[in-house]
Amino acid sequence: MPMYGDLGNKLVQNAKRTQNLAHLPPYQTELVRSVAREVRDLDRDVASLLEPFQESFDPAADQATACTLLVNHMSMRRNKRCLLAYHRTRTDKLEELVWNGSDLLDLAGQQTGGAGPTNGMNGPTDSSSSSSSLSPQEEDYVRQYGDLLAAYKGHWTDIDLTGSLEPPRDLFIDVRVLKDAGEIQTEYG
Amino acid sequence: MSYYDIDSILTDAEKIPCTFQLDVPELGYLDNSPGQTLKAGARVALPLWLAELLAITSTGSSDDQNKSYVAFDLPHALRNDVVQALKAEPLAVPLRDQSAHFYSLATHMMDLSEEPELSATLRKTFVRRAAEIALHARKLGGGTGKGDEGGSNLGVGGAGEEFLRGLDEWERRLFRKAHDGTRAGKEWMEKIKKN
Amino acid sequence: MDIDDILREVDPTFHEVPQEKRDLQDLTRAWVAERSAPELLSWPSDGLFERISDSIRRQIERIEEMTGDMDPKTNFALIVIQTELERFKFLVRSYLRARLSKIDRHALHYLSTDELRARLSDTEMAYASRHQALLHNHYLSSFLSSFPPALQNLNDTSGGIAMVDTPDLESAVFIRLLNDSLVMGRGVDTDDTSEFQEGDIVILRWSDAKSLVESGRAELV
Amino acid sequence: MALPLPPGLTQPEVAFLAEMELVTIVPRQRLESISLLGGQTPPLRPPHRAELPLWLALLLKKQRRANIVPPPWLHPASLSEIITRESKDNPDAFSSPPPPPSRAHPTEPGRARRLAESDANLSPPFQPSCTADAPAGYLPYHWLEVAEALLAHAGDDMPVAAGEVRSLLRDLVEVRAAKMRSSTSTLESFGGGLTSLRGVGAMELAESRGFVLGVVDGVRKLGASAEATRREEEEFGGGRDVSDDESDEDMGI
């Protein structure tokens, strides 16, 4: 018997794998929908459990109901956490790609060019005409974050914020060229 | 304990043996019997994210203020024979077989109930195994002495491989850090000679 | 020999450190500290980055002027200037990105109180608020808007685990003592207090190191 | 992710930092002062020595415009002395770092100027410890980076064959690596809150940082509940929960 939270766990396991991948695996549209649906179902259960009590529910007087309510509440929060962490893991990845200068076309093309689906979760629901591994919302996010980063970079145009994070080596190659031209100046040497 | 942290969320999914302290008609599904009442005394393995709050929330019962919805035991991964084995020979136990989030799970449990002896044993275990992890990481990362690996760069050998396979998530991260540190040091040394 | 040189010879304590040199030292320290601290440190309030940003701009202009000059002597100076410029650019870049990365990870935390907000520069504030808004929007449009209204917040602290992630201030760090100091460090079994000498390197929790670092008695390494 | 690097400087970053160390050069050519972002460079007038940051000294050296004077601690006699100290005299600890300026002898030539108040809080790489007047017998914080850079690019400026210095350095690296290892295996079985790594070098630290701090943090987390219990007990003296009334009585003792 699958229990509340099990589907959320699948999302998080997917996120765990995503962390270790260079590319972004397909967005789990169906799984996300199911987990969100579970939250709404639980919320309805809570409402119907509370209905007979009007506004005056006393947990100490009806401990069994209180316990069920607590379980439902925790399950909703658990699902919310799983959904947020799943999406956050992916936006982290997307932001990294934006920092590295990939654009939306690169990202969208990953799935067709890449190793294909990495697990069995992308059922027929994912097979819209475009085979992007990003959800439409994620595509929007990439655009918006790209704009945000560009705006921030604009304050620091001279230092090239997306430049290398490796400390600069000296300009030795240039120097060697210079040596040929500049070896003349030995007047004081 | 971070809300968005994937490992923390996965740790919270670990199952804890719990005993219900009251009848709950709606929760039969937790014990594979949907539609039936979950009876007081029923033993159910609940994920930590659920067990934790059920165990610390008071029922508000007038006859027993301390009574909570469930009582819990230490999870299977932390049972006594595992702890005894770790005490005897910390390197011989594949922690990952107990739980991929062994230490993380343990810290949760120790927050829930005081386990001073467990805490002391696990700290010793962790430090002892960390030293071993560093040793393997140096070998794989290409440490200072080149001669002592004996052939293959992956010269961990059977026992070593077995040990590394048994690392839990904390230890894997530690291994990666040690390995990266050694490798970056080596790369720097090689680079400086070229430039 | 100029007047400073003469003064320096007769009076060994005459040693006015030029602003540029001090700025380089401050920038370097700020970089090392930000790369090492588990939490976001304060944006320097003394105009350090405004000054550095200005001088980088001026240096780039100078390079453009010098590039036309084919005199080999100028040419070598140009190499030196460019090499140094790249070093400065790297320091500023790595510093800014170390900060952004911390701001990204704990945005809601750093936006939560006036005191924490004061650590960010104006540009960082604008970035952090906008980034957070983008994320919230993204969650809403992806799934969150279908939730019951009470569950749509991103800053709940009830029900088990707080949603606003915070940096772990108990993380261990390495510091170097800049003065002889008495240092207190909390541990699991015992809390230690020891006298350390200038130059000593010590491992302790950031929460115990912080006041030493902020008062200039120690620095992160 | 704006910065895909672990906390703390990486090895290339440490090497970059070490390139800010001042070294002493002997110019082979005149060079006028250059206005850099970090201040004016001194005008170079052969054969007068000058002090420059390592990155600039290396640039001049590669151009054969200058020779670099190796710091006294890099001389074979000094290295041998340090190796003896590290392996025999004090096998458990790193040897002492060079005395800080505030403790340096005020009459020692070449050091007095560093007593100037504005320099008081200087630390590596800005506290000169790799110049020609640095003391022999002490390894400065950036010893390995500076030594390797000089050997790689200014080997012919060494007082003896570079190979000899190199092999001494290798011995030293070995001796100290073993120390780093043993210090990390003892330091965390602790439950104490302070661990001194006096005399450790920047590169050594960078190599072990992630691991060492990972172990310390792990021990802290595994001990968190035990530590909380200890603190409660210490606060309440006996370990029993003391109500307000009782503590008032206690205060009257």
Side-chain angles (χ1 to χ4, degrees), chain B residues 103-104 106-107 110-111 113-116 119-120 122-123 126-127 130-131 133-135 138 144-145 170 173-175 177-178 180-186 188-189 191-195, chain D residues 11-12 15 62 144-145 148-149 152-153 166 173-174 177 181 184-185 188-191 203 206-208 210-226 229 232:
Chain B
Y103 292 110
S104 177
T107 56
M110 292 187 289
D111 280 342
S113 68
E114 262 179 48
E115 307 278 347
S119 166
L122 290 188
R123 273 187 283 155
F126 181 67
V127 172
I133 287 168
L135 201 74
R138 262 199 311 281
T144 43
W170 282 20
R173 213 173 309 148
L174 210 52
F175 178 78
K177 283 176 182 170
D180 290 352
T182 308
R183 204 194 43 208
K186 203 182 161 201
W188 167 71
M189 276 288 203
K191 222 174 195 171
I192 200 167
K193 280 164 196 147
K194 271 189 231 150
N195 201 348
Chain D
Q11 280 95 328
K62 288 172 189 172
L144 186 58
E145 307 87 283
E148 288 291 340
H153 304 295
R166 206 183 286 279
V173 168
E174 290 288 326
R181 288 200 277 276
T184 53
S185 61
E188 308 87 2
S189 43
F190 76 119
M203 208 42 100
E207 181 159 337
S208 313
F211 175 77
V212 170
L213 297 186
V215 175
V216 176
D217 285 340
V219 170
R220 168 183 46 95
K221 287 177 186 163
L222 288 171
S225 56
T229 311
E232 263 167 44

Side-chain angles (χ1 to χ4, degrees), chain B residues 57-111:
Chain B
T57 306
S58 160
T59 56
S61 163
S62 49
D63 42 297
D64 182 0
Q65 284 297 325
N66 288 325
K67 189 179 163 196
S68 55
Y69 296 114
V70 302
F72 68 93
D73 292 320
L74 283 180
H76 201 63
L78 294 169
R79 66 192 185 277
N80 192 42
D81 60 307
V82 176
V83 177
Q84 292 311 319
L86 283 173
K87 248 189 201 165
E89 184 38 85
L91 300 185
V93 182
L95 290 186
R96 199 169 195 82
D97 293 350
Q98 301 307 320
S99 162
H101 301 93
F102 181 83
Y103 292 110
S104 177
L105 176 63
T107 56
H108 268 278
M109 297 319 295
M110 292 187 289
D111 280 342

Side-chain angles (χ1 to χ4, degrees), chain B residues 22-45:
Chain B
L22 72 173
D23 289 355
V24 191
E26 309 275 340
L27 293 183
Y29 72 90
L30 290 175
D31 198 19
N32 277 322
S33 326
Q36 294 178 32
T37 295
L38 188 65
K39 294 278 186 202
R43 285 179 58 82
V44 185

Side-chain angles (χ1 to χ4, degrees), chain D residues 68-79:
Chain D
I68 301 177
V69 184
W73 52 260
L74 192 53
H75 286 240
S78 167
L79 287 178

